[in-house]
Amino acid sequence: MFAEIGHFALILAFLVAMAQAVLPMVGAVRGDSSLMLFGRTAAQLQALLILTAFAMLMISFARADFSVALVAQHASLSQPLAYRLAATWGNHEGSMVLWVLILALFGAGIGRFGDNLRPALQARVLSVQAMIGVAFLAFSLFTSNPFLRLAPAPLDGSELNPLLQDPGLVFHPPLLYLGYVGFSVTFSFAVAALLEGRADAAWARWMRPWVLAAWIPLTCGIALGSFWAYYELGWGGWWFWDPVENASLMPWLLGTALLHSAIVTEKRQALAGWTILLAILAFSLSLIGTFLVRSGILTSVHAFAVDPARGVFILAMIIGSTGTALALFAWRAPMLRSGSLFAGVSRETGLTLNNLFLMAVTAVVFLGTFYPVIMEAVSTDKISVGPPYYNLVFVPLAVPLLLLVTVGPLLAWKRDSLVTLAPKLKWPALLTLAVFAVLAAVLGLKNAQAAFGFALAFWLILGGLMVLARRWQGTAGLSWRLMRTTPAAVVGMALAHAGLGFTVAGVTAMSSFAESKILVMRPGETTALGAMQVTLASIGAAKGPNYEAVQAHFTVRQGNSIRDLDSEKRFFPISRNQTTEAGIGTGLLGNSYIAIGDQQQGPNGSGIVVRIYHHPLVGWIWFGALMMAMGGAASLADRRFRIGAPLKSPQTPTLGNLPGQGLRPGMVPAE
Amino acid sequence: MKRLIFILPVFAFVALIAVFGVGLTKDPKELPSQLIDRPLPQFALPGIEAVPGGGPGFASASLKGEPLLLNVFASWCAACPQEHPVLTRIGEEGFPVYGIAWKDKPVDSRAWIERFGDPYKAIAADENGRTAIDLGVTGVPETFIVDRNGRVRFKQIGPISPETWKGKIKPLMLKLRAEA
Amino acid sequence: MRRWLLPLLLWLAMPVAVALPMAPALAVQPDEMLADPALEARARAISKDLRCVVCQNQSIDDSDAPLARDLRIVVREQLTQGSSDTETMDYIVQRYGHFVLLKPPVEPATWALWLGPFAVLGFGGMGLWLWSRGRHPADVVPLTPEEAVAIASFTDSPTP
């Protein structure tokens, strides 16, 4: 019965979405305020209905109701409850319901929190949002119905892939979807602006919190996915340039560009066309990512059960949304009012270059991911594009961008000069060069690129600190007041840019200094890797709710510290799958990582395969990502940028007294 | 000029969609054979008989003189039993079929042949898989169509269905027979 | 123009092969490993650049698949027999095609792949530069006497 309620709710939501797609748009064109207001009600109703449908699906999983086909395919009685619930979205059909749920919740959010939006703009945004909803609800209802029944109902189901039975699964897809779907809001804003013919500072200011609302969970989702792969897949890899990983990275890169471009549009009414294009492309890449995962067009470890028929449907959706948006862009964007001028050396130029480099870097990931498909379509040769390509092309394009990250915040708006800029950069540049020189000397010339990487990380962290340190000027009392009243967005920028530095440091360390050793060990034997002494203490058996395991206990000695690590090889009888659980010793400066393999004959007799790794600074990769997310959250918390910020009496904006700043011109360069 | 920049994304998008559309019709895992129109790589493999050494098997040198099928199979292969009746019929229609048992112990291959039947003119055992690597084999079953000069003309990936035999492979075999 | 030359040269001089090899991976078994550490290191490096054709997007160094193991052993056999790295890769490519190379070949068909992102940067940068050159502040034209009077009347009159 629950499944039927859920199905019915989904159908009703579909109907509501269709109404929401049409009526508010008509209202906006005609100036009919009641039709425009209907958009808000419809959005909230739609969200409620889809929430009901999702809840019904989740309940079916919780109750292990095997008469629902989806539950029978992805859950079993012995599967722990948490993973039965998480299995709701660990499959194609369920994840699509999650997708439309988040879409509807964002739409309801626009309706609920958009009180300061021009009614016509809000109505248009809600309409576009609903059009996307209609497409995805149709996809779900007509090709991927999660509520199909199975008769007769089996007594037990097939369990969820053991690799997915993990706390990471609970959070990774929802976070990613919040990101992917969140960019639908910015897409709707962009299309609405094109329809209205207006993309002004107010529009950018309203859009910015939504960019952050999508960017922050996407950052967390990608970081969590990387972390999950690290501890789950058994060899400490954290990024594989797999097509589906790339599909999450591309919206993130463009989303970052969008975030910064929107700042320029908001402050200086410039780059409006670029901001709109980025908003369209970011969501389009989300859709293309969905297409990638579910159509079978590329092989990937992440792919759901593939179905080209579904691929055709998604392709049609992409043509409808992206195609229409880009056509609209080609038609209307040239009519947008050009923004104010800015000099060759200025914050605007810095951010424009930022856009350019981020687009180039996105092009690397895009070309790498899709070139095999392109080649297949135009020739008979099949090629692969793997990590060697990305390493060679991504890095040279990313480095100038990273150098720019520290320089940008030091530039003034509208007009600055190298003469003013140079003194600000003198000490940071010298310090960074010193760090590089010292590291190159200590690590040796063959590790020059690692020294460069660490120096770059230092440059970035320094840049983040400088953003805050620049507020320390004048008398101690004034400085203290300036620090205390640092706008949250400035704190956000400092955190995010410094976080980027930590990630770069972690990546550099892992690329150049990760060590491994593979050998057969017997209980009692000791081996060394770097500064670690690893002893295999004992091998035993272990049992879990739905698995049996071989468990090995290790003692790791490093300097004065001793720690115990366990590694397991788990066997899941129902799905006949195997996973390896690694023993990870975390530390501030790196992890020790031990994974066992199968039994084998070693030099001293029969033993077990042991792989020992040392992963320097690997934790910094995700710590940096976390800092970036926190920076985004700080920025979101800034009252100046939230939609509900109080409207002050309109003042002519001049440099220094933009609403909310509260500082007199000349005190601190405008942020 | 300015207009051109705004229209560029649409054109790029149309091209991309066309590529995706074509991509949907292809299988990303199917690897085209490197051996088409090339001679068979040299090999000489033992057989699977219950004698020391496995018996004579066959060598690549003997795979010429008339068009034939070279079928790679294994006892652990899930789809091979599906293909077996078709191979038997092919043999009955007068086309020679040779078999290579891939990564299999001869005792397992013998048991499998006893269970499902023996359509092969001769069977060779490729226990360590080297010959299969030389042939560019990525899975089982795979079948190579070899012409009378020992050149590979076609590779079938996956089991041969009756439709595939009738529609694609049999016409090819007849054509190869008619060739000089 | 000269100002940009130095940064450009510095950028180009930067080691292009700033590679990011991933952390050493899983699937190699102790019984496959060669005794000679230099040869083994070469074998691992080559394996990382060869794709496992029966897997979903892994190198033969990372994959558990039996075919991957066979290919790892073949690579080691080739190296032990004295083949160079290129010859060993060619041996595998001869059998499985370019699909097996994780670093795509640099040939006319893949120029778009290798140069595309730089082209985006180049064309974008050029476009920006041309756009910035085309925008200058409107030339200042002095007011006509009528306009001067009109403006005076606006500024002197009280706000409504």
Side-chain angles (χ1 to χ4, degrees), chain A residues 235 239 301 371 382 384 386 388-389 391 396 400 511 600 611, chain C residues 11 20 22 24 26 28-29 49 51 56 99 102 109 113:
Chain A
W235 66 78
W239 189 259
V301 291
Y371 214 76
K382 260 180 109 111
S384 299
Y389 166 78
N391 295 338
S511 310
Q600 245 187 44
R611 299 164 206 276
Chain C
W11 183 37
L20 284 180
M22 288 305 120
L26 159 78
V28 177
Q29 302 281 345
D49 281 347
R51 181 176 188 158
Q56 289 171 318
F99 184 68
L102 281 174
L113 175 66

PDB file of all heavy atoms in Angstrom, chain A residues 235 239 301 371 382 384 386 388-389 391 396 400 511 600 611, chain C residues 11 20 22 24 26 28-29 49 51 56 99 102 109 113:
ATOM      1  N   TRP A 235      43.544   0.323  -1.812  1.00  0.00           N
ATOM      2  CA  TRP A 235      44.931   0.628  -2.134  1.00  0.00           C
ATOM      3  C   TRP A 235      45.278   2.103  -1.983  1.00  0.00           C
ATOM      4  O   TRP A 235      46.347   2.526  -2.383  1.00  0.00           O
ATOM      5  CB  TRP A 235      45.304   0.142  -3.540  1.00  0.00           C
ATOM      6  CG  TRP A 235      44.609   0.816  -4.657  1.00  0.00           C
ATOM      7  CD1 TRP A 235      44.894   2.046  -5.169  1.00  0.00           C
ATOM      8  CD2 TRP A 235      43.524   0.303  -5.422  1.00  0.00           C
ATOM      9  NE1 TRP A 235      44.056   2.317  -6.213  1.00  0.00           N
ATOM     10  CE2 TRP A 235      43.198   1.277  -6.394  1.00  0.00           C
ATOM     11  CE3 TRP A 235      42.792  -0.879  -5.399  1.00  0.00           C
ATOM     12  CZ2 TRP A 235      42.177   1.102  -7.313  1.00  0.00           C
ATOM     13  CZ3 TRP A 235      41.770  -1.053  -6.324  1.00  0.00           C
ATOM     14  CH2 TRP A 235      41.483  -0.074  -7.253  1.00  0.00           C
ATOM     15  N   TRP A 239      41.939   9.552  -6.352  1.00  0.00           N
ATOM     16  CA  TRP A 239      41.312  10.152  -7.550  1.00  0.00           C
ATOM     17  C   TRP A 239      41.774   9.371  -8.764  1.00  0.00           C
ATOM     18  O   TRP A 239      42.963   9.092  -8.911  1.00  0.00           O
ATOM     19  CB  TRP A 239      41.709  11.629  -7.677  1.00  0.00           C
ATOM     20  CG  TRP A 239      40.930  12.328  -8.736  1.00  0.00           C
ATOM     21  CD1 TRP A 239      41.332  12.627 -10.001  1.00  0.00           C
ATOM     22  CD2 TRP A 239      39.585  12.818  -8.635  1.00  0.00           C
ATOM     23  NE1 TRP A 239      40.332  13.273 -10.686  1.00  0.00           N
ATOM     24  CE2 TRP A 239      39.251  13.397  -9.863  1.00  0.00           C
ATOM     25  CE3 TRP A 239      38.631  12.811  -7.609  1.00  0.00           C
ATOM     26  CZ2 TRP A 239      38.004  13.978 -10.116  1.00  0.00           C
ATOM     27  CZ3 TRP A 239      37.401  13.393  -7.867  1.00  0.00           C
ATOM     28  CH2 TRP A 239      37.104  13.961  -9.102  1.00  0.00           C
ATOM     29  N   VAL A 301      33.597   2.577 -13.248  1.00  0.00           N
ATOM     30  CA  VAL A 301      33.322   1.763 -12.073  1.00  0.00           C
ATOM     31  C   VAL A 301      32.064   2.222 -11.365  1.00  0.00           C
ATOM     32  O   VAL A 301      31.498   1.526 -10.552  1.00  0.00           O
ATOM     33  CB  VAL A 301      34.509   1.783 -11.083  1.00  0.00           C
ATOM     34  CG1 VAL A 301      35.684   1.054 -11.661  1.00  0.00           C
ATOM     35  CG2 VAL A 301      34.879   3.188 -10.732  1.00  0.00           C
ATOM     36  N   TYR A 371      36.573  12.347 -25.340  1.00  0.00           N
ATOM     37  CA  TYR A 371      37.272  12.120 -26.606  1.00  0.00           C
ATOM     38  C   TYR A 371      37.096  10.699 -27.128  1.00  0.00           C
ATOM     39  O   TYR A 371      36.947  10.497 -28.331  1.00  0.00           O
ATOM     40  CB  TYR A 371      38.753  12.482 -26.494  1.00  0.00           C
ATOM     41  CG  TYR A 371      39.283  13.042 -27.774  1.00  0.00           C
ATOM     42  CD1 TYR A 371      38.976  14.351 -28.153  1.00  0.00           C
ATOM     43  CD2 TYR A 371      40.072  12.284 -28.626  1.00  0.00           C
ATOM     44  CE1 TYR A 371      39.444  14.866 -29.339  1.00  0.00           C
ATOM     45  CE2 TYR A 371      40.539  12.801 -29.820  1.00  0.00           C
ATOM     46  CZ  TYR A 371      40.220  14.095 -30.169  1.00  0.00           C
ATOM     47  OH  TYR A 371      40.681  14.610 -31.343  1.00  0.00           O
ATOM     48  N   LYS A 382      39.659   2.942 -31.610  1.00  0.00           N
ATOM     49  CA  LYS A 382      39.219   3.161 -30.248  1.00  0.00           C
ATOM     50  C   LYS A 382      40.416   3.574 -29.412  1.00  0.00           C
ATOM     51  O   LYS A 382      41.425   2.888 -29.413  1.00  0.00           O
ATOM     52  CB  LYS A 382      38.675   1.857 -29.660  1.00  0.00           C
ATOM     53  CG  LYS A 382      37.162   1.755 -29.661  1.00  0.00           C
ATOM     54  CD  LYS A 382      36.739   0.458 -29.061  1.00  0.00           C
ATOM     55  CE  LYS A 382      36.114   0.671 -27.712  1.00  0.00           C
ATOM     56  NZ  LYS A 382      34.690   0.408 -27.676  1.00  0.00           N
ATOM     57  N   SER A 384      41.841   5.226 -25.497  1.00  0.00           N
ATOM     58  CA  SER A 384      41.530   5.460 -24.090  1.00  0.00           C
ATOM     59  C   SER A 384      42.221   6.733 -23.654  1.00  0.00           C
ATOM     60  O   SER A 384      43.290   7.065 -24.174  1.00  0.00           O
ATOM     61  CB  SER A 384      42.045   4.321 -23.211  1.00  0.00           C
ATOM     62  OG  SER A 384      41.454   3.118 -23.564  1.00  0.00           O
ATOM     63  N   GLY A 386      43.476   8.195 -20.090  1.00  0.00           N
ATOM     64  CA  GLY A 386      43.589   7.876 -18.676  1.00  0.00           C
ATOM     65  C   GLY A 386      44.437   8.894 -17.946  1.00  0.00           C
ATOM     66  O   GLY A 386      44.775   9.942 -18.478  1.00  0.00           O
ATOM     67  N   PRO A 388      47.514   9.422 -17.302  1.00  0.00           N
ATOM     68  CA  PRO A 388      48.684  10.100 -17.883  1.00  0.00           C
ATOM     69  C   PRO A 388      48.315  11.368 -18.650  1.00  0.00           C
ATOM     70  O   PRO A 388      49.032  12.375 -18.569  1.00  0.00           O
ATOM     71  CB  PRO A 388      49.280   9.049 -18.821  1.00  0.00           C
ATOM     72  CG  PRO A 388      48.851   7.745 -18.259  1.00  0.00           C
ATOM     73  CD  PRO A 388      47.504   7.985 -17.674  1.00  0.00           C
ATOM     74  N   TYR A 389      47.193  11.347 -19.368  1.00  0.00           N
ATOM     75  CA  TYR A 389      46.789  12.551 -20.121  1.00  0.00           C
ATOM     76  C   TYR A 389      46.486  13.690 -19.172  1.00  0.00           C
ATOM     77  O   TYR A 389      46.970  14.808 -19.330  1.00  0.00           O
ATOM     78  CB  TYR A 389      45.561  12.237 -20.974  1.00  0.00           C
ATOM     79  CG  TYR A 389      44.865  13.462 -21.516  1.00  0.00           C
ATOM     80  CD1 TYR A 389      45.382  14.146 -22.607  1.00  0.00           C
ATOM     81  CD2 TYR A 389      43.711  13.948 -20.920  1.00  0.00           C
ATOM     82  CE1 TYR A 389      44.765  15.283 -23.087  1.00  0.00           C
ATOM     83  CE2 TYR A 389      43.082  15.082 -21.399  1.00  0.00           C
ATOM     84  CZ  TYR A 389      43.610  15.744 -22.484  1.00  0.00           C
ATOM     85  OH  TYR A 389      42.996  16.877 -22.954  1.00  0.00           O
ATOM     86  N   ASN A 391      47.331  14.190 -16.120  1.00  0.00           N
ATOM     87  CA  ASN A 391      48.497  14.700 -15.395  1.00  0.00           C
ATOM     88  C   ASN A 391      49.308  15.648 -16.248  1.00  0.00           C
ATOM     89  O   ASN A 391      49.821  16.651 -15.761  1.00  0.00           O
ATOM     90  CB  ASN A 391      49.374  13.536 -14.927  1.00  0.00           C
ATOM     91  CG  ASN A 391      48.654  12.671 -13.911  1.00  0.00           C
ATOM     92  OD1 ASN A 391      47.714  13.127 -13.272  1.00  0.00           O
ATOM     93  ND2 ASN A 391      49.067  11.436 -13.770  1.00  0.00           N
ATOM     94  N   PRO A 396      49.746  21.889 -16.037  1.00  0.00           N
ATOM     95  CA  PRO A 396      50.278  23.165 -16.554  1.00  0.00           C
ATOM     96  C   PRO A 396      49.223  24.252 -16.647  1.00  0.00           C
ATOM     97  O   PRO A 396      49.543  25.432 -16.569  1.00  0.00           O
ATOM     98  CB  PRO A 396      50.778  22.799 -17.955  1.00  0.00           C
ATOM     99  CG  PRO A 396      50.948  21.356 -17.958  1.00  0.00           C
ATOM    100  CD  PRO A 396      49.980  20.795 -16.992  1.00  0.00           C
ATOM    101  N   PRO A 400      49.116  28.307 -13.360  1.00  0.00           N
ATOM    102  CA  PRO A 400      48.961  29.769 -13.434  1.00  0.00           C
ATOM    103  C   PRO A 400      47.731  30.243 -12.684  1.00  0.00           C
ATOM    104  O   PRO A 400      47.735  31.313 -12.064  1.00  0.00           O
ATOM    105  CB  PRO A 400      48.825  30.028 -14.935  1.00  0.00           C
ATOM    106  CG  PRO A 400      49.353  28.832 -15.610  1.00  0.00           C
ATOM    107  CD  PRO A 400      49.138  27.693 -14.696  1.00  0.00           C
ATOM    108  N   SER A 511      51.700  12.541  -4.549  1.00  0.00           N
ATOM    109  CA  SER A 511      52.210  12.226  -5.883  1.00  0.00           C
ATOM    110  C   SER A 511      53.678  11.885  -5.859  1.00  0.00           C
ATOM    111  O   SER A 511      54.141  11.043  -6.619  1.00  0.00           O
ATOM    112  CB  SER A 511      52.013  13.421  -6.810  1.00  0.00           C
ATOM    113  OG  SER A 511      50.711  13.865  -6.731  1.00  0.00           O
ATOM    114  N   GLN A 600      49.167 -16.986   0.187  1.00  0.00           N
ATOM    115  CA  GLN A 600      50.119 -17.320  -0.879  1.00  0.00           C
ATOM    116  C   GLN A 600      51.354 -17.961  -0.286  1.00  0.00           C
ATOM    117  O   GLN A 600      51.603 -17.823   0.911  1.00  0.00           O
ATOM    118  CB  GLN A 600      50.517 -16.047  -1.623  1.00  0.00           C
ATOM    119  CG  GLN A 600      50.060 -16.047  -3.062  1.00  0.00           C
ATOM    120  CD  GLN A 600      50.591 -14.877  -3.821  1.00  0.00           C
ATOM    121  OE1 GLN A 600      51.750 -14.533  -3.708  1.00  0.00           O
ATOM    122  NE2 GLN A 600      49.725 -14.255  -4.597  1.00  0.00           N
ATOM    123  N   ARG A 611      49.971  -5.692   1.846  1.00  0.00           N
ATOM    124  CA  ARG A 611      50.408  -4.489   1.148  1.00  0.00           C
ATOM    125  C   ARG A 611      50.464  -3.362   2.159  1.00  0.00           C
ATOM    126  O   ARG A 611      49.461  -3.036   2.784  1.00  0.00           O
ATOM    127  CB  ARG A 611      49.409  -4.129   0.045  1.00  0.00           C
ATOM    128  CG  ARG A 611      49.269  -5.193  -0.988  1.00  0.00           C
ATOM    129  CD  ARG A 611      48.007  -4.981  -1.820  1.00  0.00           C
ATOM    130  NE  ARG A 611      47.564  -6.253  -2.351  1.00  0.00           N
ATOM    131  CZ  ARG A 611      48.043  -6.806  -3.458  1.00  0.00           C
ATOM    132  NH1 ARG A 611      48.955  -6.162  -4.154  1.00  0.00           N
ATOM    133  NH2 ARG A 611      47.628  -7.981  -3.864  1.00  0.00           N
TER     134      ARG A 611
ATOM    135  N   TRP C  11      56.488  30.596 -17.665  1.00  0.00           N
ATOM    136  CA  TRP C  11      55.466  29.563 -17.653  1.00  0.00           C
ATOM    137  C   TRP C  11      55.851  28.404 -18.558  1.00  0.00           C
ATOM    138  O   TRP C  11      55.723  27.250 -18.211  1.00  0.00           O
ATOM    139  CB  TRP C  11      54.129  30.173 -18.089  1.00  0.00           C
ATOM    140  CG  TRP C  11      52.993  29.229 -18.044  1.00  0.00           C
ATOM    141  CD1 TRP C  11      52.779  28.254 -17.118  1.00  0.00           C
ATOM    142  CD2 TRP C  11      51.924  29.165 -18.949  1.00  0.00           C
ATOM    143  NE1 TRP C  11      51.611  27.596 -17.407  1.00  0.00           N
ATOM    144  CE2 TRP C  11      51.077  28.135 -18.518  1.00  0.00           C
ATOM    145  CE3 TRP C  11      51.588  29.897 -20.102  1.00  0.00           C
ATOM    146  CZ2 TRP C  11      49.911  27.813 -19.200  1.00  0.00           C
ATOM    147  CZ3 TRP C  11      50.424  29.567 -20.767  1.00  0.00           C
ATOM    148  CH2 TRP C  11      49.609  28.533 -20.329  1.00  0.00           C
ATOM    149  N   LEU C  20      51.456  13.749 -12.136  1.00  0.00           N
ATOM    150  CA  LEU C  20      50.845  13.410 -10.860  1.00  0.00           C
ATOM    151  C   LEU C  20      50.615  11.908 -10.842  1.00  0.00           C
ATOM    152  O   LEU C  20      49.508  11.458 -11.061  1.00  0.00           O
ATOM    153  CB  LEU C  20      49.478  14.094 -10.708  1.00  0.00           C
ATOM    154  CG  LEU C  20      49.433  15.571 -10.392  1.00  0.00           C
ATOM    155  CD1 LEU C  20      47.989  16.021 -10.297  1.00  0.00           C
ATOM    156  CD2 LEU C  20      50.114  15.861  -9.072  1.00  0.00           C
ATOM    157  N   MET C  22      49.554   8.553  -9.473  1.00  0.00           N
ATOM    158  CA  MET C  22      48.705   8.242  -8.341  1.00  0.00           C
ATOM    159  C   MET C  22      49.466   7.376  -7.340  1.00  0.00           C
ATOM    160  O   MET C  22      50.485   6.796  -7.656  1.00  0.00           O
ATOM    161  CB  MET C  22      47.450   7.482  -8.810  1.00  0.00           C
ATOM    162  CG  MET C  22      46.494   8.381  -9.546  1.00  0.00           C
ATOM    163  SD  MET C  22      46.007   9.833  -8.591  1.00  0.00           S
ATOM    164  CE  MET C  22      46.565  11.122  -9.636  1.00  0.00           C
ATOM    165  N   PRO C  24      50.829   4.378  -5.313  1.00  0.00           N
ATOM    166  CA  PRO C  24      51.056   3.012  -5.831  1.00  0.00           C
ATOM    167  C   PRO C  24      49.868   2.104  -5.517  1.00  0.00           C
ATOM    168  O   PRO C  24      49.284   2.189  -4.469  1.00  0.00           O
ATOM    169  CB  PRO C  24      52.313   2.551  -5.106  1.00  0.00           C
ATOM    170  CG  PRO C  24      52.660   3.599  -4.150  1.00  0.00           C
ATOM    171  CD  PRO C  24      51.908   4.827  -4.451  1.00  0.00           C
ATOM    172  N   LEU C  26      47.212  -1.468  -6.153  1.00  0.00           N
ATOM    173  CA  LEU C  26      46.896  -2.680  -5.418  1.00  0.00           C
ATOM    174  C   LEU C  26      47.311  -4.009  -5.977  1.00  0.00           C
ATOM    175  O   LEU C  26      47.837  -4.830  -5.269  1.00  0.00           O
ATOM    176  CB  LEU C  26      45.378  -2.705  -5.234  1.00  0.00           C
ATOM    177  CG  LEU C  26      44.751  -4.045  -4.961  1.00  0.00           C
ATOM    178  CD1 LEU C  26      44.965  -4.420  -3.522  1.00  0.00           C
ATOM    179  CD2 LEU C  26      43.282  -3.990  -5.222  1.00  0.00           C
ATOM    180  N   VAL C  28      49.110  -5.994  -7.844  1.00  0.00           N
ATOM    181  CA  VAL C  28      50.279  -6.837  -8.104  1.00  0.00           C
ATOM    182  C   VAL C  28      50.480  -7.817  -6.948  1.00  0.00           C
ATOM    183  O   VAL C  28      50.434  -7.438  -5.788  1.00  0.00           O
ATOM    184  CB  VAL C  28      51.535  -5.949  -8.244  1.00  0.00           C
ATOM    185  CG1 VAL C  28      52.766  -6.785  -8.431  1.00  0.00           C
ATOM    186  CG2 VAL C  28      51.345  -4.986  -9.388  1.00  0.00           C
ATOM    187  N   GLN C  29      50.699  -9.079  -7.284  1.00  0.00           N
ATOM    188  CA  GLN C  29      50.913 -10.097  -6.257  1.00  0.00           C
ATOM    189  C   GLN C  29      52.404 -10.335  -6.074  1.00  0.00           C
ATOM    190  O   GLN C  29      53.170 -10.219  -7.024  1.00  0.00           O
ATOM    191  CB  GLN C  29      50.252 -11.407  -6.695  1.00  0.00           C
ATOM    192  CG  GLN C  29      48.770 -11.288  -6.954  1.00  0.00           C
ATOM    193  CD  GLN C  29      47.972 -11.302  -5.672  1.00  0.00           C
ATOM    194  OE1 GLN C  29      48.475 -11.668  -4.616  1.00  0.00           O
ATOM    195  NE2 GLN C  29      46.733 -10.882  -5.753  1.00  0.00           N
ATOM    196  N   ASP C  49      50.437   2.468 -17.196  1.00  0.00           N
ATOM    197  CA  ASP C  49      50.011   3.153 -18.411  1.00  0.00           C
ATOM    198  C   ASP C  49      49.257   2.247 -19.364  1.00  0.00           C
ATOM    199  O   ASP C  49      48.918   2.663 -20.468  1.00  0.00           O
ATOM    200  CB  ASP C  49      51.236   3.732 -19.140  1.00  0.00           C
ATOM    201  CG  ASP C  49      51.708   5.016 -18.496  1.00  0.00           C
ATOM    202  OD1 ASP C  49      50.951   5.565 -17.665  1.00  0.00           O
ATOM    203  OD2 ASP C  49      52.809   5.475 -18.811  1.00  0.00           O
ATOM    204  N   ARG C  51      45.910  -0.132 -20.069  1.00  0.00           N
ATOM    205  CA  ARG C  51      44.548  -0.273 -19.604  1.00  0.00           C
ATOM    206  C   ARG C  51      44.153  -1.745 -19.488  1.00  0.00           C
ATOM    207  O   ARG C  51      44.501  -2.554 -20.336  1.00  0.00           O
ATOM    208  CB  ARG C  51      43.616   0.415 -20.587  1.00  0.00           C
ATOM    209  CG  ARG C  51      42.177   0.336 -20.162  1.00  0.00           C
ATOM    210  CD  ARG C  51      41.297   1.112 -21.093  1.00  0.00           C
ATOM    211  NE  ARG C  51      39.950   1.178 -20.540  1.00  0.00           N
ATOM    212  CZ  ARG C  51      39.058   2.085 -20.846  1.00  0.00           C
ATOM    213  NH1 ARG C  51      39.368   3.015 -21.718  1.00  0.00           N
ATOM    214  NH2 ARG C  51      37.866   2.079 -20.307  1.00  0.00           N
ATOM    215  N   GLN C  56      36.415  -1.988 -15.867  1.00  0.00           N
ATOM    216  CA  GLN C  56      35.800  -0.691 -16.092  1.00  0.00           C
ATOM    217  C   GLN C  56      36.792   0.379 -15.681  1.00  0.00           C
ATOM    218  O   GLN C  56      36.813   0.806 -14.550  1.00  0.00           O
ATOM    219  CB  GLN C  56      34.525  -0.583 -15.265  1.00  0.00           C
ATOM    220  CG  GLN C  56      33.446  -1.475 -15.827  1.00  0.00           C
ATOM    221  CD  GLN C  56      32.260  -1.536 -14.907  1.00  0.00           C
ATOM    222  OE1 GLN C  56      32.418  -1.628 -13.703  1.00  0.00           O
ATOM    223  NE2 GLN C  56      31.084  -1.475 -15.453  1.00  0.00           N
ATOM    224  N   PHE C  99      43.569   1.213 -27.848  1.00  0.00           N
ATOM    225  CA  PHE C  99      42.642   1.272 -26.715  1.00  0.00           C
ATOM    226  C   PHE C  99      43.342   0.975 -25.406  1.00  0.00           C
ATOM    227  O   PHE C  99      42.949   1.428 -24.343  1.00  0.00           O
ATOM    228  CB  PHE C  99      41.517   0.253 -26.951  1.00  0.00           C
ATOM    229  CG  PHE C  99      40.451   0.270 -25.909  1.00  0.00           C
ATOM    230  CD1 PHE C  99      39.604   1.356 -25.790  1.00  0.00           C
ATOM    231  CD2 PHE C  99      40.283  -0.796 -25.045  1.00  0.00           C
ATOM    232  CE1 PHE C  99      38.610   1.379 -24.833  1.00  0.00           C
ATOM    233  CE2 PHE C  99      39.282  -0.783 -24.086  1.00  0.00           C
ATOM    234  CZ  PHE C  99      38.447   0.301 -23.979  1.00  0.00           C
ATOM    235  N   LEU C 102      46.755   4.084 -21.889  1.00  0.00           N
ATOM    236  CA  LEU C 102      46.056   5.070 -21.084  1.00  0.00           C
ATOM    237  C   LEU C 102      46.517   6.477 -21.420  1.00  0.00           C
ATOM    238  O   LEU C 102      45.820   7.454 -21.152  1.00  0.00           O
ATOM    239  CB  LEU C 102      46.275   4.799 -19.585  1.00  0.00           C
ATOM    240  CG  LEU C 102      45.397   3.686 -19.048  1.00  0.00           C
ATOM    241  CD1 LEU C 102      45.759   3.377 -17.608  1.00  0.00           C
ATOM    242  CD2 LEU C 102      43.923   4.068 -19.138  1.00  0.00           C
ATOM    243  N   ALA C 109      44.782  12.779 -35.304  1.00  0.00           N
ATOM    244  CA  ALA C 109      43.421  12.560 -34.814  1.00  0.00           C
ATOM    245  C   ALA C 109      43.239  13.012 -33.373  1.00  0.00           C
ATOM    246  O   ALA C 109      42.122  13.289 -32.958  1.00  0.00           O
ATOM    247  CB  ALA C 109      43.063  11.078 -34.931  1.00  0.00           C
ATOM    248  N   LEU C 113      42.553  16.812 -28.801  1.00  0.00           N
ATOM    249  CA  LEU C 113      42.567  16.408 -27.397  1.00  0.00           C
ATOM    250  C   LEU C 113      43.717  17.069 -26.650  1.00  0.00           C
ATOM    251  O   LEU C 113      43.547  17.636 -25.578  1.00  0.00           O
ATOM    252  CB  LEU C 113      42.697  14.877 -27.317  1.00  0.00           C
ATOM    253  CG  LEU C 113      42.858  14.269 -25.930  1.00  0.00           C
ATOM    254  CD1 LEU C 113      41.609  14.480 -25.116  1.00  0.00           C
ATOM    255  CD2 LEU C 113      43.148  12.780 -26.035  1.00  0.00           C
TER     256      LEU C 113
END
